[in-house]
Amino acid sequence: MREYKLILEHSQDDLNKKITDMLNKGWDVSGNLVVDKDDEGFPYFYQAMIKQG
């Protein structure tokens, strides 16, 4: 069974820390890093993660 999570952060450094932690726990990156802006123009970053069961 596969498990998916979407990691969302306003800070790229915080996103990198979460992704690194998840990689160390057996998760893999799924797809591309997405960078977008919220309604106020602040950037946010999100990355899909997958864990094979």
Side-chain angles (χ1 to χ4, degrees):
M1 186 173 134
R2 294 180 181 156
E3 186 177 351
Y4 295 92
K5 287 192 178 186
L6 185 63
I7 308 302
L8 171 66
E9 286 293 335
H10 282 279
S11 162
Q12 189 171 7
D13 288 336
D14 290 343
L15 179 76
N16 290 341
K17 288 176 188 174
K18 281 189 177 180
I19 289 173
T20 300
D21 184 53
M22 290 183 77
L23 289 171
N24 290 334
K25 293 179 180 175
W27 288 81
D28 291 313
V29 172
S30 176
N32 297 320
L33 171 68
V34 177
V35 181
D36 208 344
K37 291 185 179 181
D38 63 17
D39 294 340
E40 296 176 3
F42 294 103
Y44 63 91
F45 309 87
Y46 61 94
Q47 176 66 59
M49 303 293 287
I50 185 171
K51 188 171 189 180
Q52 304 288 341

